[in-house]
Every structure is written in C-alpha cells, then in structure tokens.
Amino acid sequence: MSIADKVKNKAEELAGKAKQGIGEATDNERLYAEGQAQETRAHAKQAGEHVKDAGRDVRDALS
C-alpha cells in the first residue's frame, strides 16, 4: 500500500468518525449513518490493501 493510499484511507476514516460525532451531537440519524458507512468503506479499503501487500510478500518470498 502506498503512503498516499494510507493517508487517503485514514482521512476517509476520520471524516466518517467526524460525521458520526456531529450526527450524534445533533441527533441527525442520517448524518450518523453516513459517517458509519464512510468509516466502514475506509476500513474495507485498508483491509483490501493489506491483503494485496501480503500477497506481494508471499510472492517475493517464493521468488
């Protein structure tokens, strides 16, 4: 995973957390749900990148 991807995914995760906090503070269920979805997407992207990195590590170890 490149540094740019890590930063982008972390920024998306933090934006989701912020939306959740604002949604909770203002009793805005829609904003809270959007924040949860955004944070979940960021986690999924991070997990996918970790799988790709692990695959590259295995390939390199077998080479």
Side-chain angles (χ1 to χ4, degrees):
M1 176 186 317
S2 73
I3 297 292
D5 288 337
K6 287 181 182 181
V7 170
K8 184 179 171 185
N9 290 337
K10 192 62 169 178
E12 186 173 354
E13 178 185 343
L14 293 175
K17 285 182 186 265
K19 281 184 181 179
Q20 286 180 48
I22 293 168
E24 189 171 4
T26 60
D27 287 332
N28 186 333
E29 292 178 13
R30 184 184 59 81
L31 187 59
Y32 183 83
E34 284 179 16
Q36 282 183 319
Q38 188 172 7
E39 187 178 1
T40 300
R41 279 192 306 272
H43 284 280
K45 288 179 186 178
Q46 290 168 353
E49 292 294 332
H50 289 301
V51 169
K52 286 196 291 188
D53 289 345
R56 277 189 222 116
D57 291 345
V58 168
R59 182 192 67 209
D60 292 344
L62 295 176
S63 298

